[in-house]
Amino acid sequence: MNPLDLARPEIRALQAYSSARMEARGCGVLLNANESPWPPFGHDNGWNRYPDPQPAALLDRLAELYGVEPSRVLAGRGSDEGIDLLVRAFCAARRDAILVSPPTFGMYATSARVQGAGVIESPLRDDFTVDADALLAKVTPAVKLVFVCAPNNPTGASVPRATILRMAEALRERALLVVDEAYVEFVEPDAGCGSVAGCAGTPANLVVLRTLSKAWALAGARVGALLADARVVALLRKLMPPYPLPAPCVEAALRAVSAAGECMMRERVALTVRERARVGTAMAQLACVREVLPSQANFLTVRFHDPEAVIGALSRAGIVVRDVRRYPSLGDALRITLGTPAENDRVLRTLDACRCAAAAGRGAMRVEQPA
Ligand SMILES: *Cc1c(COP(=O)(O)O)cnc(C)c1O
C-alpha cells in the first residue's frame, strides 16, 4: 500500500519551496542566503547561518534511539508539529476527519479544527483503556488519521503493543494509525506496552510520534520526531517551513541524546517511576482522594471527593496542577505531574491537611477505617 494514496492530492502534487540551504549545502564563500557574514556575540557558533533543515547527526541519533532507518525520521518542533503536519497533509477541509478516543490529548482535535477537518470520537472504556474494536468500527471513508495516545494523557493508561499492531493492520489502505508515545519512556518494562517506534512504517500506515519534551527534559528546546514510512516523511517535509529547527535547539538536542545524556535520562526516569508508585500508594490512602488512576506516565490523575477544595488548598500552598475536569468522565479529577521527591512530599502533605479542612467544612467526607 502507498500511504500517500490517503493524502490530499494537492499536497502530493505540491512543488516544495526550495531554500538556499537546500540548493547549496556546506562550505565555500556563502553569499546565497542574505545572511550576515559575522556571527553574533563575537564567537563563531555558526548562528549567523540558516540552520540545516534536517541535521544528519540528529536524524542518525534519533533513528538509532528509536530503532528505525534515518529516512523514516522527521525531526520537528515537538510532536505538536508532527500532529499539525499530518492533519494538514492528510485531511482536506470540510471533507476528511480524524478519529480520537476521549478523554485524550487535546491537540489532535485542535489541529483538526484549525484545518477545518472533522473530529470523530470513540470514547475510552469506563476503566480508561482503549476499546480497539469500537474505535475501528467508527472508521468511515472520511477518516484519514486515527490517533492513539499511549500512554494516554490525561489518564495515564497505556495500550498493549499487540493491540496497536492489530489496529494498524486493520486500518491498512484505509487510514494512518498515529501512535503518540510522548510518555513511553515511563512505561513499566513488563507491561507489554513498550514502544512500537521500531515498527513505524511497517505496516506503511503506522506513524509514531516521539518527543524530547518529557523524559529527556528538553521541553524548552521544542524538539520531537515523527517516525513513518519514508514517503510520508518526504511528503510532510514539503509542508514544513524551510528552516524548522533552530541551531541552538539542535545543539541542545544533541547533548540531551548523547550517551551521557541518555544515562542521565534513564536515572531520572527510574526515579520518577519509583516516585509514581510511592506517591500513588500514599495518595490512595488519603481521605480526600476518591481514586488514583493507574499511570504508566510521569503524572498521576487523581479523582477527588471535593476537587474545588483541593485546588484551593494546593494553590494556597503554591502548587500548580492541571485541572482536567473539563474532560469527559474526569469531572472530579486533577492531573498532578510527578516532581522531585521533595515536591511530591509537599503535595502529599497539602492533600493530607486538606482532609481536615474539607471534612470540617462539609461534613461529608469519607472516613478511612484504620486497618
Ligand atoms: C506533552 C505531550 C506531547 C509533547 O508535545 P511536544 O510538542 O513534543 O512538546 C505530545 N503528546 C502528548 C500526549 C503530550 O502529553
Side-chain angles (χ1 to χ4, degrees), residues 61-120:
R61 178 61 178 139
L62 294 175
E64 176 184 44
L65 274 173
Y66 301 140
V68 293
E69 290 297 311
S71 63
R72 292 190 177 184
V73 181
L74 181 70
R77 286 158 296 183
S79 13
D80 284 349
E81 181 165 37
I83 295 164
D84 182 59
L85 289 171
L86 286 166
V87 169
R88 285 194 285 142
F90 287 88
C91 295
R94 291 176 296 281
R95 191 182 72 207
D96 296 329
I98 68 163
L99 177 56
V100 294
S101 272
T104 193
F105 191 46
M107 279 308 293
Y108 316 134
T110 299
S111 285
R113 294 200 172 103
V114 168
Q115 172 67 4
V119 178
I120 299 177

Side-chain angles (χ1 to χ4, degrees), residues 34 62 77 89 105 199 277 301 312 325 345-346:
N34 301 344
L62 294 175
R77 286 158 296 183
F105 191 46
C199 303
T301 294
R325 289 179 292 169
D345 284 338
R346 229 172 109 179

Side-chain angles (χ1 to χ4, degrees), residues 77-81 83 104-105 108 149 151-153 180-183 209-214 219 222-225 299 335:
R77 286 158 296 183
S79 13
D80 284 349
E81 181 165 37
I83 295 164
T104 193
F105 191 46
Y108 316 134
C149 189
N152 188 44
N153 177 8
D180 185 343
E181 295 192 334
Y183 300 98
L209 301 173
R210 299 290 296 256
T211 181
L212 302 188
S213 295
K214 307 284 157 63
R222 310 300 303 124
V223 181
F299 57 81
R335 191 192 69 195

Side-chain angles (χ1 to χ4, degrees), residues 104-320:
T104 193
F105 191 46
M107 279 308 293
Y108 316 134
T110 299
S111 285
R113 294 200 172 103
V114 168
Q115 172 67 4
V119 178
I120 299 177
E121 300 187 334
S122 170
L124 296 175
R125 295 196 189 95
D126 289 344
D127 63 357
F128 299 114
T129 56
V130 168
D131 189 339
D133 293 313
L135 195 66
L136 291 171
K138 288 251 178 155
V139 177
T140 64
V143 171
K144 295 296 187 293
L145 303 171
V146 177
F147 284 94
V148 172
C149 189
N152 188 44
N153 177 8
T155 56
S158 201
V159 183
R161 290 182 87 235
T163 305
I164 302 258
L165 297 175
R166 176 169 75 83
M167 290 176 69
E169 208 56 56
L171 289 169
R172 254 177 197 274
E173 327 282 332
R174 292 198 287 162
L176 297 189
L177 178 64
V178 186
V179 185
D180 185 343
E181 295 192 334
Y183 300 98
V184 80
E185 290 89 350
F186 300 99
V187 168
E188 214 75 62
D190 299 331
C193 296
S195 175
V196 295
C199 303
T202 317
N205 63 331
L206 180 59
V207 179
V208 178
L209 301 173
R210 299 290 296 256
T211 181
L212 302 188
S213 295
K214 307 284 157 63
W216 297 91
L218 213 60
R222 310 300 303 124
V223 181
L226 178 148
L227 314 173
D229 183 285
R231 292 166 291 186
V232 172
V233 169
L235 181 80
L236 298 181
R237 276 206 64 187
K238 294 205 288 185
L239 300 193
M240 251 183 164
Y243 304 110
L245 298 169
C249 298
V250 171
E251 279 176 31
L254 283 169
R255 274 174 67 187
V257 297
S258 66
E262 187 179 359
C263 281
M264 190 178 295
M265 182 279 277
R266 300 220 177 277
E267 274 169 33
R268 288 174 172 173
V269 165
L271 174 59
T272 299
V273 168
R274 287 197 300 277
E275 283 293 282
R276 181 173 71 202
R278 176 183 79 89
V279 175
T281 305
M283 277 187 186
Q285 319 286 319
L286 299 174
C288 63
V289 170
R290 177 170 282 158
E291 185 186 6
V292 182
L293 302 190
S295 172
Q296 293 285 315
N298 66 341
F299 57 81
L300 291 168
T301 294
V302 184
R303 305 175 60 202
F304 293 97
H305 295 289
D306 187 348
E308 201 59 42
V310 170
I311 291 175
L314 288 170
S315 119
R316 281 189 297 280
I319 299 168
V320 183

